[in-house]
Amino acid sequence: MKYIIVGAVAGGASTAARLRRLDEHAEILIFEKGEYISYANCGLPYYIGDVIKDRNKLFVQTAAAFNKRFNIDVRVRNEVISINAEEKTISAINLITGAVYSESYDKLVLSPGAEPIRPPLPGINNEGIFTLRNVNDTDYIKSYVNNKTTKKAVVVGAGFIGLEMAENLHHLGIEVSIIEMGNQILAPLDFPIAAMVQQHIRSKGVKMYLNTVVSGFEKTNNGLSVLLNNGNTINADIVILSIGVKPDTKLVMNAGLKIGDAKGIYVNEFLQTSNEDIYAVGDAIEFVNPITNQAMITYLAGPANKQGRICANNIVLGNTHKYNGAINTAIVKVFDMTVGAAGTASKNLHKANIAHVVSTTHSGSHAGYYPDAKQMTIQIAFSPTDGSLLSAQVAGYDGADKRLDILSGVIKSKGTIYDLVEFEHAYAPPYSSAKDPVNMVGFVAENILQKRLSIFYWNEMDKIKEEDLLLDVRTKEEYENGKIQNSINIPVDEIRNRLTEIPKEKNIFIYCEAGLRGYLAQRILKQNGYMNVLNLSGGYRLWKNCINESIN
């Protein structure tokens, strides 16, 4: 058998290595138009920022080492330019010599990846404007920063790579501004979690321009001028374009293979394209989202590597291993914070007309009495009927990644909030509490489903009418240090003795700092005959972050 693989980064390299492990005698060829294979794409910003100092550590394998270990013909700087699916051949060009040649195959695997979006804006080809997608891009950026007097940087786009670049440029002592056309950073997040991270970024002295569109660039005597749609300009020495990526489907389209609804390469559950002898993996394919049942593309290394293994299994062993899709579990370090998401954000569940409930909790990273416990915020969305967990978003410091992985596992296995209630964790004071933040998320969600807890959200303050009562149950000191307008203060520990001050005929909206005391107050009132009582999900802390960012 002869296997050809197009593309040699995450998905392609993973497929090739698995093919060899399954079939020692097959002829395997990898074509890669770039100079490098199997490199740590996600580590590139950290090399630019001198967090990773040794460039060689970015390379998982070199072409020579891959060939030696797996006996695979690795052809870097060789680009596949066409596919003849009927004759089962490909045409390639040697980018060094210019020679064009053909190779036949029994099975072909496409892993062309994605390409950065570079809109045709005036001045976009000026010196000092970069995208970051591969090692060459990284070398250009690092050389430019090192050899120029770089004092100001503008990052266009506030996705995962954009924020990593902003942090790493800031780490080099460069003044950084972020421009984002949306109303928040990190599109996979819902606004409340994004707002927390935005507040943290601002605290580092990084300027953020949200709801702002770049209209062009101009070369100046001192560097670059970034032109904005509101008429303002920002001066920069370097610009990083992190607007997004799109699947590289040119080769596939020219070969007559099917493109799906999400504009990616169509594959079936076995990662087969519309041609039974051609498979595809990685950033260019689309698949069915297991939560929304809609076509989607994911640009993540984890799914690409897993797809490679599954693809190789199906090629060698027959189509027996189904790919069940990805729930887009992703995480990013943003200065001192960690933020991540898994599943489908509430805003996207709304768009897909999927009924759900959102709940937000705040918990310590480990036992409060053990030093250096840090707060983390977890937002989940779940089904109001059976409690199926649909999404999770975590923002915090220590242990945020651990909780996200747990929640991702529950979503991926189609678990429910009741699995969170019963989740059994490894507990010792330096690592957790007897009731882990994951358990707390489950407890709150269970109370909501069982009607013990009724909630309202930070953006539903307009539901509170003049005749209703907004009740702050924090301490007097907390109330005086900051409150929601038109609220009255009765601390939770005093409520039982001050029930006469709370009219039973009114709708009562309660809030505390994080949500727990509000829940306790709600339980007291409901068991004393108060019928219409709601508690602010996420508490005053979440409301304040969201309001501050709404103003910005």
Side-chain angles (χ1 to χ4, degrees), residues 390-429:
L390 304 173
S391 74
Q393 299 173 23
V394 183
Y397 300 87
D398 294 342
D401 55 336
K402 168 181 169 180
R403 274 61 182 216
L404 180 65
D405 285 343
I406 293 164
L407 294 163
S408 173
V410 174
I411 297 169
K412 184 73 174 172
S413 63
K414 300 187 183 301
T416 72
I417 58 99
Y418 301 108
D419 294 311
L420 307 183
V421 170
E422 297 183 12
F423 174 72
E424 185 174 341
H425 62 292
Y427 162 58

Side-chain angles (χ1 to χ4, degrees), residues 476-547:
K476 181 180 178 182
E477 292 74 21
E478 289 175 291
Y479 181 75
E480 290 175 348
N481 285 332
K483 59 182 180 292
I484 301 176
Q485 190 175 6
N486 299 322
S487 62
I488 68 166
N489 177 228
I490 302 178
V492 63
D493 293 339
E494 300 177 16
I495 278 188
R496 291 183 181 87
N497 297 323
R498 297 175 63 177
L499 292 176
T500 56
E501 300 175 38
I502 307 172
K504 285 188 176 180
E505 68 277 7
K506 290 193 173 188
N507 296 318
I508 301 168
F509 294 82
I510 298 174
Y511 73 90
C512 64
E513 187 66 22
L516 174 59
R517 285 175 289 177
Y519 167 62
L520 299 176
Q522 184 184 60
R523 295 304 301 155
I524 292 169
L525 293 177
K526 282 199 168 187
Q527 293 178 82
N528 277 280
Y530 293 80
M531 302 302 296
N532 300 313
V533 187
L534 292 94
N535 184 36
L536 178 60
S537 184
Y540 178 79
R541 181 183 304 157
L542 188 76
W543 174 86
K544 186 176 180 181
N545 275 324
C546 292
I547 292 300

Side-chain angles (χ1 to χ4, degrees), residues 39-40 43-60 62 135 138-139 142 146:
Y39 56 84
L44 301 181
Y46 298 99
Y47 172 63
I48 292 170
D50 278 345
V51 176
I52 298 170
K53 297 186 182 296
D54 184 351
R55 183 176 179 275
N56 290 327
K57 291 187 179 296
L58 296 173
F59 300 101
V60 181
T62 65
V135 176
T138 305
D139 289 339
K142 193 168 182 67
N146 289 341

Side-chain angles (χ1 to χ4, degrees), residues 311-344:
C311 177
N313 288 349
N314 288 330
I315 289 173
V316 177
L317 306 174
N319 287 342
T320 57
H321 193 162
K322 293 182 180 181
Y323 179 61
N324 296 314
I327 59 168
N328 274 5
T329 303
I331 196 166
V332 63
K333 176 182 179 294
V334 185
F335 294 95
D336 304 325
M337 288 193 76
T338 298
V339 60
T344 303

Side-chain angles (χ1 to χ4, degrees), residues 118-126 156 213-217 227 241 243:
R118 196 177 176 98
L121 296 174
I124 196 166
N125 293 319
N126 279 322
V156 183
V213 176
V214 173
S215 57
F217 306 91
L227 312 179
L241 298 176
I243 300 170

